[in-house]
Amino acid sequence: MQGLKLEVIPPPPISRRTLELGVRYSPEFACMPLKINIGNFIEALEKGADTIVMAGGWGPCRFGLYAPVERDILNDLGYDCEMVILEAPDSKLAEILKQLKSLGENVSIPEAYRAIRFAWKKLIAVEELERKLEYFLPRVNDKRTAEEIYEKGLADIDRAGNKMEIEYIVASCRGKWRELPQHNGEILKIGLLGEIYTVLEPGANYNISRYLGHLNAEVTRSIYASEWINDHLCGGFIKKSLHKEIIKSARPYVNYWVGGHGRETIGHAVDFARKNYDGVIQIGPLTCMPEIVAQAILPRVSENEGIPSMTLWFDEHAGTAGIYTRLEAFCDMLQRRKQGNSPSLHPA
Amino acid sequence: MDCYFGVDVGSVSSNFVLLDRSFKVIQKVYLRTRGNPVAAIKEGYRAIKNDIARPGLKIKAVGTTGSGRYLASVLLGADVVKNEITAHAVAASFLYPGVNTIIEIGGQDSKIIILKDGIVNDFAMNTVCAAGTGSFLDQQASRLNIPIEEFGGRAMNSRQAVRIAGRCGVFAESDMIHKQQMGYPLEDIVMGLCEALVRNYLNNVGKGKRIEEPVVFQGGVAANIGLRTAFEKILHMNINVPEYYDVMGAIGSAILAREHIEQQKRSTVFRGEEFILNGEFKSQSFECQGCPNMCEIVCIKRNDEILAYWGDRCKKWEASLNKKKDEAV
């Protein structure tokens, strides 16, 4: 967006204060992503932002209504801001360009196109780092250093001014990770599925993929931000997507669109099972309807496809002990299953 | 004689067991945590130490579990620090080798564990609601002025259980009050509550799980014969309650501890009596200013020596302590 000659004020990272602000000003029954959004927006407005860009949507998930609700909440609070809602176009890239361009002043279409391409490049690089961290974290001995390499890499990408720089940063992070000593213990492979916001935003899921990494489990997420933008905002225009395959995998468990990513959750669970993953974890914000539908079907998938599953709901509680206990127990279970039924429980 | 020490520090109770080489219970202690786990651990150790001091007895391994497992491990020096699910499953499948279902109801949480061939195959814990757990029963017992120990017995005198809403603890309570005011006998209300809690458990915790015999019922609430009967009635199954139902987590952690040191061929890191009883343990908390997360860090000290940090999402405080240890070595 900086390429659109706009000053961008990103909200500060999600913190306890973000959630507190969100909880205070949101309807009690709304799900956690809305509350975090509100908190983010207030914090960005406090830093001087005057326009908010928010994605829209439609269908049985409440998300489609969030942008107007959020605008009303912020206006009621007395914030004088504009909100631009990006609606999913009917699979035309030009539509998206037009919507984004309406934001920029004095920017030509080719300039806008270049700006978006560069932002896309950065997003892909960030995800490359995320995936590499997901791979290396369970394998290395010194987890903290592996995380520091990642955090430094992210900050560098943020500052990078051109394509070459970005590529160099990614390569150098990869090199540093490769040099870290690795252990030869068993690595569990876990698929993380569920509601997109909770899956993508570590601030909303207590960073469970990191925690699992510390337990020597390699986490693969069902969805990455670039895929969502590709499938949902650009109608699969940018690159060929696996979305259709996943929908196919959901059969015969879910044959219809149940709203949100309910069908995708089931499709991915089947997909992970067929790729011989050790287990899947479904996550979502409490009260998320599409994921509740998926949760009800997941035990059948577990049984038929032979993959253990667990569901975790997230809400505003700050205590992490309960979540980590469940994750640890889940990993223990997978570990013991993998070793076969030979717990050495023989009294002398 | 070699023995193994298992500790389960939960929200409501703290349990301690000493097992011999064939995993028989030499001694067990069941205490209320009363919101002060450090005091409970010291008290529990004191209560069990006379047995430890018996000639020839030697602690070969220590295991901790429960929500206070990290704290207990810092105070005692534990070889294994394990979650409650694994610990409970290990203890139950040791006592009942073919067990398929474990129902565990404790002070604040309840779990269901499904086993297949002695391995945990699936599990669930209560999520947002603590209805049906020990603390809710405690509260209702004191409201009805029945000592908790007699609660189950009173239910057994019931001839016709009253139907109580079990979906939520608050609903259950208002329904109970309503039925009381209508004049139903207390026994029938108490039994009705037991059945409501069983339905609540099966619908929330046991949702989507296939419950198969043999079934083992453990945790502090297993003492309540009313609940056990309600489970039998609703499931149409025989429910086994182990002799040491209230300390199964501690038993499991002692078994795991032994398994660990024998597999790793290590000796225990148990810190010994002097460390536990003669030190003054203090915990402090502070807000880390390192990033916008502002984590609440807890620091555990013995006299002036820092033993542990936790609460930091980024683990930088935890790691700082390990670095110091590495340098010292």
Side-chain angles (χ1 to χ4, degrees):
Chain A
M1 287 211 180
Q2 271 158 2
L4 295 169
K5 295 185 186 160
L6 296 166
E7 189 198 349
V8 175
I9 301 179
I14 294 169
S15 64
R16 239 175 38 213
R17 178 165 184 269
T18 314
L19 193 54
E20 262 167 39
L21 283 170
V23 169
R24 194 178 318 151
Y25 297 121
S26 306
E28 187 265 333
F29 248 73
C31 66
M32 194 184 52
L34 177 106
K35 296 176 183 175
I36 294 180
N37 275 171
I38 291 282
N40 280 153
F41 293 158
I42 292 176
E43 285 183 324
L45 293 167
E46 281 170 352
K47 283 174 73 182
D50 60 4
T51 306
I52 288 169
V53 179
M54 172 72 188
W58 44 280
C61 170
R62 289 178 277 183
F63 180 77
L65 193 63
Y66 277 6
V69 168
E70 286 164 355
R71 183 182 51 210
D72 287 352
I73 292 173
L74 294 175
N75 287 343
D76 284 351
L77 287 173
Y79 287 107
D80 183 22
C81 62
E82 245 185 273
M83 186 174 282
V84 176
I85 302 171
L86 298 181
E87 290 288 354
D90 299 329
S91 73
K92 262 194 225 125
L93 190 62
E95 290 276 321
I96 257 287
L97 277 175
K98 242 187 253 162
Q99 284 182 9
L100 280 175
K101 192 186 171 288
S102 72
L103 284 166
E105 290 154 27
N106 316 318
V107 185
S108 66
I109 289 271
E111 263 181 291
Y113 182 68
R114 267 198 301 279
I116 292 166
R117 276 239 332 235
F118 185 56
W120 181 253
K121 193 90 203 157
K122 279 194 174 183
L123 179 64
I124 298 291
V126 166
E127 285 182 2
E128 177 69 17
L129 288 191
E130 284 175 359
R131 287 177 204 254
K132 285 281 173 286
L133 181 68
E134 283 162 2
Y135 176 85
F136 282 105
L137 191 58
R139 287 175 172 81
V140 300
N141 293 325
D142 184 356
K143 317 260 184 223
R144 182 71 197 131
T145 307
E147 289 172 345
E148 276 164 4
I149 294 169
Y150 168 77
E151 278 145 25
K152 171 110 195 335
L154 278 194
D156 289 347
I157 289 178
D158 190 32
R159 272 193 300 269
N162 61 51
K163 217 174 112 184
M164 292 280 285
E165 248 180 277
I166 296 174
E167 277 162 14
Y168 173 76
I169 294 162
V170 173
S172 91
C173 284
R174 202 180 301 152
K176 279 187 237 165
W177 274 320
R178 281 221 185 96
E179 279 166 26
L180 293 177
Q182 299 190 5
H183 61 85
N184 49 14
E186 187 95 58
I187 305 290
L188 293 170
K189 290 188 84 174
I190 293 178
L192 191 63
L193 343 139
E195 188 273 331
I196 171 172
Y197 186 84
T198 350
V199 172
L200 289 181
E201 175 53 64
N205 66 28
Y206 300 88
N207 220 339
I208 68 170
S209 63
R210 288 279 185 96
Y211 183 76
L212 288 165
H214 282 255
L215 293 174
N216 296 345
E218 181 182 346
V219 176
T220 308
R221 283 184 273 148
S222 62
I223 199 157
Y224 291 82
S226 64
E227 288 166 9
W228 185 78
I229 294 174
N230 184 31
D231 291 344
H232 294 264
L233 285 180
C234 307
F237 186 86
I238 302 174
K239 58 175 187 181
K240 198 182 164 296
S241 89
L242 299 168
H243 192 242
K244 285 213 176 82
E245 291 294 311
I246 291 302
I247 296 298
K248 224 191 257 167
S249 301
R251 283 166 190 272
Y253 304 103
V254 187
N255 298 325
Y256 302 99
W257 183 49
V258 294
H261 288 79
R263 183 164 54 172
E264 284 85 344
T265 294
I266 295 299
H268 279 292
V270 174
D271 189 52
F272 281 126
R274 292 181 184 159
K275 286 178 181 152
N276 286 324
Y277 272 64
D278 297 305
V280 291
I281 298 177
Q282 180 203 13
I283 60 176
L286 194 70
T287 73
C288 173
M289 190 278 288
E291 295 303 323
I292 291 173
V293 174
Q295 184 192 14
I297 301 166
L298 208 51
R300 283 257 316 275
V301 177
S302 272
E303 202 175 312
N304 292 352
E305 308 286 336
I307 189 163
S309 66
M310 176 170 75
T311 303
L312 291 175
W313 297 110
F314 295 101
D315 201 50
E316 6 171 318
H317 38 227
T320 50
I323 294 161
Y324 293 157
T325 296
R326 287 162 178 80
L327 292 174
E328 190 195 306
F330 191 68
C331 286
D332 266 4
M333 174 176 99
L334 301 185
Q335 204 63 267
R336 292 223 172 211
R337 277 171 69 111
K338 227 178 167 176
Q339 286 160 5
N341 45 353
S342 59
S344 53
L345 289 179
H346 310 297
Chain B
M1 188 174 61
D2 295 345
C3 64
Y4 307 92
F5 188 35
V7 178
D8 177 356
V9 180
S11 56
V12 175
S13 74
S14 297
N15 317 319
F16 307 80
V17 293
L18 215 50
L19 303 185
D20 68 10
R21 276 192 74 81
S22 54
F23 297 145
K24 279 214 185 63
V25 176
I26 301 174
Q27 177 63 278
K28 69 146 201 176
V29 176
Y30 178 95
L31 291 172
R32 295 242 160 186
T33 309
R34 288 200 190 88
N36 189 346
V38 172
I41 293 165
K42 278 190 155 185
E43 200 186 325
Y45 186 80
R46 216 172 269 132
I48 220 159
K49 93 177 190 210
N50 288 338
D51 291 281
I52 297 174
R54 269 185 2 213
L57 218 58
K58 194 167 181 321
I59 291 186
K60 281 289 197 183
V62 179
T64 62
T65 185
S67 45
R69 59 188 182 277
Y70 294 107
L71 186 67
S73 127
V74 167
L75 262 63
L76 298 168
D79 302 298
V80 163
V81 182
K82 266 287 171 234
N83 61 81
E84 304 90 290
I85 307 227
T86 309
H88 276 282
V90 163
S93 61
F94 171 69
L95 289 169
Y96 300 87
V99 60
N100 278 322
T101 310
I102 300 169
I103 295 169
E104 198 273 340
I105 306 184
Q108 286 270 305
D109 56 35
S110 42
K111 350 175 167 25
I112 186 164
I113 308 172
I114 307 289
L115 294 101
K116 218 184 247 171
D117 308 321
I119 301 178
V120 178
N121 196 46
D122 196 6
F123 68 86
M125 277 171 96
N126 59 337
T127 46
V128 273
C129 173
T133 59
S135 32
F136 179 69
L137 279 172
D138 258 358
Q139 192 193 332
Q140 293 313 315
S142 78
R143 202 178 58 77
L144 297 172
N145 215 1
I146 305 174
I148 187 71
E149 296 77 17
E150 291 170 23
F151 200 79
R154 288 296 278 275
M156 295 308 288
N157 293 332
S158 156
R159 292 172 52 204
Q160 173 68 50
V162 170
R163 180 124 187 139
I164 306 261
R167 205 173 100 75
C168 152
V170 180
F171 294 173
E173 177 162 345
S174 56
D175 218 17
M176 272 168 71
I177 293 173
H178 176 68
K179 297 275 155 74
Q180 253 174 282
Q181 311 300 58
M182 301 269 288
Y184 287 97
L186 195 59
E187 288 79 21
D188 293 349
I189 293 174
V190 172
M191 192 65 205
L193 178 66
C194 290
E195 288 184 7
L197 295 185
V198 168
R199 283 198 306 274
N200 175 291
Y201 173 91
L202 295 174
N203 289 335
N204 285 310
V205 185
K207 179 170 55 187
K209 308 274 180 262
R210 188 173 293 160
I211 297 176
E212 280 171 8
E213 287 186 287
V215 181
V216 174
F217 181 21
Q218 59 197 41
V221 172
N224 188 318
I225 186 159
L227 268 169
R228 183 178 149 190
T229 311
F231 267 116
E232 287 185 330
K233 181 177 159 193
I234 292 172
L235 288 175
H236 303 293
M237 286 178 185
N238 182 37
I239 306 285
N240 301 289
V241 175
E243 184 186 356
Y244 296 105
Y245 61 87
D246 53 346
V247 293
M248 292 292 275
I251 292 177
S253 66
I255 295 176
L256 283 165
R258 174 174 166 196
E259 191 187 296
H260 176 80
I261 59 152
E262 287 182 3
Q263 267 173 10
Q264 307 281 322
K265 300 193 172 56
R266 283 191 202 167
S267 53
T268 181
V269 295
F270 177 54
R271 293 194 192 252
E273 181 170 328
E274 140 69 29
F275 185 88
I276 302 154
L277 296 182
N278 295 342
E280 196 191 335
F281 293 95
K282 262 190 295 194
S283 61
Q284 284 174 336
S285 73
F286 59 93
E287 214 168 62
C288 173
Q289 302 295 333
C291 80
N293 272 325
M294 292 183 286
C295 299
E296 284 163 23
I297 315 292
V298 180
C299 161
I300 308 290
K301 279 183 180 176
R302 180 183 182 270
N303 303 332
D304 278 321
E305 183 201 354
I306 294 168
L307 296 176
Y309 286 113
W310 53 71
D312 44 345
R313 287 196 196 183
C314 70
K315 306 285 169 210
K316 92 174 171 196
W317 291 93
E318 264 186 61
S320 74
L321 210 59
N322 290 338
K323 270 186 194 141
K324 251 186 238 160
K325 266 186 217 154
D326 290 346
E327 279 160 24
V329 172

